[in-house]
mmCIF file of all heavy atoms in Angstrom:
data_model
loop_
_atom_site.group_PDB
_atom_site.id
_atom_site.type_symbol
_atom_site.label_atom_id
_atom_site.label_comp_id
_atom_site.label_asym_id
_atom_site.label_seq_id
_atom_site.Cartn_x
_atom_site.Cartn_y
_atom_site.Cartn_z
ATOM 1 N N LYS A 57 -12.870 8.165 18.094
ATOM 2 C CA LYS A 57 -12.301 8.365 19.431
ATOM 3 C C LYS A 57 -11.243 7.315 19.747
ATOM 4 O O LYS A 57 -10.293 7.593 20.483
ATOM 5 C CB LYS A 57 -13.408 8.342 20.486
ATOM 6 C CG LYS A 57 -14.257 9.593 20.450
ATOM 7 C CD LYS A 57 -15.256 9.631 21.579
ATOM 8 C CE LYS A 57 -16.075 10.918 21.506
ATOM 9 N NZ LYS A 57 -17.175 10.903 22.487
ATOM 10 N N ASP A 60 -8.033 8.442 18.095
ATOM 11 C CA ASP A 60 -7.359 9.553 18.767
ATOM 12 C C ASP A 60 -7.077 9.248 20.242
ATOM 13 O O ASP A 60 -6.686 10.128 20.992
ATOM 14 C CB ASP A 60 -8.212 10.817 18.642
ATOM 15 C CG ASP A 60 -7.343 12.056 18.612
ATOM 16 O OD1 ASP A 60 -6.124 11.911 18.374
ATOM 17 O OD2 ASP A 60 -7.856 13.155 18.844
ATOM 18 N N GLN A 82 0.582 10.811 24.118
ATOM 19 C CA GLN A 82 -0.557 11.587 23.640
ATOM 20 C C GLN A 82 -0.093 12.815 22.849
ATOM 21 O O GLN A 82 -0.705 13.194 21.858
ATOM 22 C CB GLN A 82 -1.436 11.996 24.824
ATOM 23 C CG GLN A 82 -2.852 12.388 24.452
ATOM 24 C CD GLN A 82 -3.650 11.237 23.847
ATOM 25 O OE1 GLN A 82 -3.562 10.098 24.281
ATOM 26 N NE2 GLN A 82 -4.417 11.530 22.803
ATOM 27 N N ARG A 98 -21.246 23.310 24.858
ATOM 28 C CA ARG A 98 -20.498 24.022 25.898
ATOM 29 C C ARG A 98 -19.532 24.981 25.213
ATOM 30 O O ARG A 98 -18.833 24.597 24.282
ATOM 31 C CB ARG A 98 -19.694 23.023 26.746
ATOM 32 C CG ARG A 98 -20.520 22.037 27.518
ATOM 33 C CD ARG A 98 -21.163 22.671 28.742
ATOM 34 N NE ARG A 98 -20.238 23.412 29.561
ATOM 35 C CZ ARG A 98 -19.599 22.906 30.608
ATOM 36 N NH1 ARG A 98 -19.778 21.664 30.942
ATOM 37 N NH2 ARG A 98 -18.790 23.660 31.327
ATOM 38 N N TYR A 105 -8.566 33.712 18.887
ATOM 39 C CA TYR A 105 -7.115 33.587 18.791
ATOM 40 C C TYR A 105 -6.559 32.688 19.886
ATOM 41 O O TYR A 105 -5.755 31.800 19.634
ATOM 42 C CB TYR A 105 -6.471 34.978 18.873
ATOM 43 C CG TYR A 105 -4.978 34.950 18.648
ATOM 44 C CD1 TYR A 105 -4.459 34.935 17.355
ATOM 45 C CD2 TYR A 105 -4.081 34.938 19.720
ATOM 46 C CE1 TYR A 105 -3.097 34.900 17.143
ATOM 47 C CE2 TYR A 105 -2.719 34.903 19.503
ATOM 48 C CZ TYR A 105 -2.233 34.890 18.213
ATOM 49 O OH TYR A 105 -0.869 34.850 18.008
ATOM 50 N N GLU A 106 -7.027 32.905 21.127
ATOM 51 C CA GLU A 106 -6.560 32.068 22.244
ATOM 52 C C GLU A 106 -6.868 30.600 21.975
ATOM 53 O O GLU A 106 -6.038 29.714 22.181
ATOM 54 C CB GLU A 106 -7.260 32.483 23.554
ATOM 55 C CG GLU A 106 -6.719 33.746 24.189
ATOM 56 C CD GLU A 106 -7.589 34.253 25.355
ATOM 57 O OE1 GLU A 106 -8.753 33.814 25.491
ATOM 58 O OE2 GLU A 106 -7.097 35.098 26.102
ATOM 59 N N TYR A 113 -0.519 23.285 21.341
ATOM 60 C CA TYR A 113 -0.046 22.629 22.577
ATOM 61 C C TYR A 113 1.011 21.549 22.342
ATOM 62 O O TYR A 113 2.036 21.537 23.029
ATOM 63 C CB TYR A 113 -1.239 22.052 23.354
ATOM 64 C CG TYR A 113 -0.829 21.242 24.555
ATOM 65 C CD1 TYR A 113 -0.407 21.866 25.727
ATOM 66 C CD2 TYR A 113 -0.819 19.847 24.513
ATOM 67 C CE1 TYR A 113 -0.013 21.129 26.829
ATOM 68 C CE2 TYR A 113 -0.414 19.102 25.610
ATOM 69 C CZ TYR A 113 -0.014 19.746 26.759
ATOM 70 O OH TYR A 113 0.388 19.005 27.840
ATOM 71 N N PRO A 114 0.817 20.627 21.379
ATOM 72 C CA PRO A 114 1.838 19.568 21.246
ATOM 73 C C PRO A 114 3.214 20.082 20.829
ATOM 74 O O PRO A 114 4.178 19.318 20.826
ATOM 75 C CB PRO A 114 1.246 18.628 20.186
ATOM 76 C CG PRO A 114 0.187 19.395 19.508
ATOM 77 C CD PRO A 114 -0.322 20.388 20.497
ATOM 78 N N SER A 120 6.574 27.983 28.359
ATOM 79 C CA SER A 120 7.001 28.648 27.140
ATOM 80 C C SER A 120 5.854 29.449 26.540
ATOM 81 O O SER A 120 4.689 29.103 26.695
ATOM 82 C CB SER A 120 7.483 27.618 26.127
ATOM 83 O OG SER A 120 6.392 26.890 25.633
ATOM 84 N N GLU A 144 -10.160 38.413 17.612
ATOM 85 C CA GLU A 144 -10.216 38.945 18.975
ATOM 86 C C GLU A 144 -11.574 38.739 19.636
ATOM 87 O O GLU A 144 -11.785 39.165 20.762
ATOM 88 C CB GLU A 144 -9.855 40.433 18.982
ATOM 89 C CG GLU A 144 -8.381 40.701 18.693
ATOM 90 C CD GLU A 144 -7.460 39.918 19.627
ATOM 91 O OE1 GLU A 144 -7.617 40.019 20.850
ATOM 92 O OE2 GLU A 144 -6.584 39.192 19.114
ATOM 93 N N ARG A 148 -18.169 32.846 22.535
ATOM 94 C CA ARG A 148 -19.589 32.963 22.863
ATOM 95 C C ARG A 148 -20.334 33.897 21.914
ATOM 96 O O ARG A 148 -21.524 33.756 21.690
ATOM 97 C CB ARG A 148 -19.726 33.467 24.302
ATOM 98 C CG ARG A 148 -21.134 33.581 24.818
ATOM 99 C CD ARG A 148 -21.122 33.837 26.296
ATOM 100 N NE ARG A 148 -20.639 32.674 27.011
ATOM 101 C CZ ARG A 148 -21.435 31.712 27.474
ATOM 102 N NH1 ARG A 148 -22.727 31.805 27.327
ATOM 103 N NH2 ARG A 148 -20.943 30.678 28.095
ATOM 104 N N GLN A 166 -2.868 22.806 14.691
ATOM 105 C CA GLN A 166 -2.156 21.770 15.450
ATOM 106 C C GLN A 166 -0.995 21.177 14.657
ATOM 107 O O GLN A 166 -0.070 20.604 15.227
ATOM 108 C CB GLN A 166 -3.168 20.679 15.841
ATOM 109 C CG GLN A 166 -2.737 19.801 16.977
ATOM 110 C CD GLN A 166 -3.869 18.870 17.403
ATOM 111 O OE1 GLN A 166 -5.011 19.281 17.544
ATOM 112 N NE2 GLN A 166 -3.555 17.611 17.607
ATOM 113 N N MET B 15 -3.919 41.119 18.906
ATOM 114 C CA MET B 15 -3.503 40.144 19.928
ATOM 115 C C MET B 15 -2.390 40.684 20.799
ATOM 116 O O MET B 15 -2.281 40.384 21.956
ATOM 117 C CB MET B 15 -3.114 38.809 19.283
ATOM 118 C CG MET B 15 -2.332 38.945 18.020
ATOM 119 S SD MET B 15 -3.021 38.005 16.621
ATOM 120 C CE MET B 15 -4.458 38.925 16.149
ATOM 121 N N LYS B 22 -3.096 42.698 29.460
ATOM 122 C CA LYS B 22 -3.007 41.725 30.550
ATOM 123 C C LYS B 22 -1.764 41.950 31.395
ATOM 124 O O LYS B 22 -1.795 41.828 32.622
ATOM 125 C CB LYS B 22 -3.005 40.303 29.977
ATOM 126 C CG LYS B 22 -4.369 39.878 29.524
ATOM 127 C CD LYS B 22 -4.357 38.607 28.740
ATOM 128 C CE LYS B 22 -5.774 38.368 28.207
ATOM 129 N NZ LYS B 22 -5.835 37.277 27.264
ATOM 130 N N ARG B 96 -14.670 22.209 34.440
ATOM 131 C CA ARG B 96 -15.478 23.100 33.589
ATOM 132 C C ARG B 96 -16.766 23.478 34.290
ATOM 133 O O ARG B 96 -17.835 23.422 33.697
ATOM 134 C CB ARG B 96 -15.861 22.406 32.276
ATOM 135 C CG ARG B 96 -14.734 22.010 31.417
ATOM 136 C CD ARG B 96 -15.254 21.287 30.181
ATOM 137 N NE ARG B 96 -15.651 22.215 29.139
ATOM 138 C CZ ARG B 96 -16.271 21.830 28.034
ATOM 139 N NH1 ARG B 96 -16.599 20.588 27.869
ATOM 140 N NH2 ARG B 96 -16.579 22.703 27.108
ATOM 141 N N HIS B 228 -0.801 25.534 30.495
ATOM 142 C CA HIS B 228 -1.288 25.111 29.170
ATOM 143 C C HIS B 228 -2.347 24.022 29.310
ATOM 144 O O HIS B 228 -3.355 24.018 28.612
ATOM 145 C CB HIS B 228 -0.133 24.554 28.329
ATOM 146 C CG HIS B 228 0.876 25.588 27.921
ATOM 147 N ND1 HIS B 228 0.512 26.758 27.310
ATOM 148 C CD2 HIS B 228 2.223 25.628 28.017
ATOM 149 C CE1 HIS B 228 1.601 27.476 27.060
ATOM 150 N NE2 HIS B 228 2.655 26.809 27.482
ATOM 151 N N GLU B 229 -2.089 23.095 30.221
ATOM 152 C CA GLU B 229 -3.030 21.989 30.419
ATOM 153 C C GLU B 229 -4.355 22.498 30.979
ATOM 154 O O GLU B 229 -5.419 22.046 30.570
ATOM 155 C CB GLU B 229 -2.441 20.937 31.374
ATOM 156 C CG GLU B 229 -1.365 20.049 30.752
ATOM 157 C CD GLU B 229 -0.004 20.716 30.680
ATOM 158 O OE1 GLU B 229 0.132 21.865 31.169
ATOM 159 O OE2 GLU B 229 0.935 20.110 30.142
ATOM 160 N N GLU B 238 -12.197 15.908 25.841
ATOM 161 C CA GLU B 238 -11.929 15.302 24.534
ATOM 162 C C GLU B 238 -10.991 16.166 23.713
ATOM 163 O O GLU B 238 -10.035 15.664 23.114
ATOM 164 C CB GLU B 238 -13.239 15.079 23.777
ATOM 165 C CG GLU B 238 -14.062 13.985 24.410
ATOM 166 C CD GLU B 238 -15.290 13.642 23.609
ATOM 167 O OE1 GLU B 238 -15.513 14.244 22.540
ATOM 168 O OE2 GLU B 238 -16.039 12.760 24.060
ATOM 169 N N ILE B 239 -11.265 17.458 23.691
ATOM 170 C CA ILE B 239 -10.382 18.351 22.943
ATOM 171 C C ILE B 239 -8.998 18.336 23.572
ATOM 172 O O ILE B 239 -7.986 18.240 22.872
ATOM 173 C CB ILE B 239 -10.955 19.784 22.897
ATOM 174 C CG1 ILE B 239 -12.237 19.783 22.054
ATOM 175 C CG2 ILE B 239 -9.948 20.764 22.326
ATOM 176 C CD1 ILE B 239 -12.811 21.135 21.776
ATOM 177 N N THR B 241 -7.515 15.961 25.167
ATOM 178 C CA THR B 241 -6.829 14.729 24.773
ATOM 179 C C THR B 241 -6.336 14.817 23.336
ATOM 180 O O THR B 241 -5.188 14.463 23.043
ATOM 181 C CB THR B 241 -7.787 13.519 24.896
ATOM 182 O OG1 THR B 241 -8.325 13.506 26.207
ATOM 183 C CG2 THR B 241 -7.065 12.217 24.642
ATOM 184 N N SER B 242 -7.198 15.316 22.452
ATOM 185 C CA SER B 242 -6.807 15.328 21.047
ATOM 186 C C SER B 242 -5.690 16.328 20.777
ATOM 187 O O SER B 242 -4.958 16.193 19.809
ATOM 188 C CB SER B 242 -8.018 15.628 20.159
ATOM 189 O OG SER B 242 -8.399 16.964 20.312
ATOM 190 N N ARG B 243 -5.529 17.316 21.660
ATOM 191 C CA ARG B 243 -4.411 18.253 21.497
ATOM 192 C C ARG B 243 -3.119 17.704 22.103
ATOM 193 O O ARG B 243 -2.087 18.339 22.037
ATOM 194 C CB ARG B 243 -4.715 19.593 22.160
ATOM 195 C CG ARG B 243 -5.931 20.293 21.650
ATOM 196 C CD ARG B 243 -5.647 21.130 20.433
ATOM 197 N NE ARG B 243 -6.838 21.878 20.068
ATOM 198 C CZ ARG B 243 -7.758 21.454 19.204
ATOM 199 N NH1 ARG B 243 -7.610 20.296 18.591
ATOM 200 N NH2 ARG B 243 -8.816 22.193 18.938
ATOM 201 N N GLY B 349 -18.759 35.021 29.120
ATOM 202 C CA GLY B 349 -19.487 33.974 29.808
ATOM 203 C C GLY B 349 -18.693 33.508 31.009
ATOM 204 O O GLY B 349 -17.512 33.794 31.126
#
Side-chain angles (χ1 to χ4, degrees):
Chain A
K57 287 186 179 173
D60 211 16
Q82 199 64 40
R98 296 284 310 266
Y105 186 83
E106 283 170 344
Y113 174 77
S120 71
E144 290 306 306
R148 183 170 292 269
Q166 199 173 315
Chain B
M15 41 232 74
K22 285 170 186 171
R96 298 178 84 188
H228 292 308
E229 285 80 3
E238 290 186 1
I239 293 187
T241 306
S242 71
R243 301 274 185 268

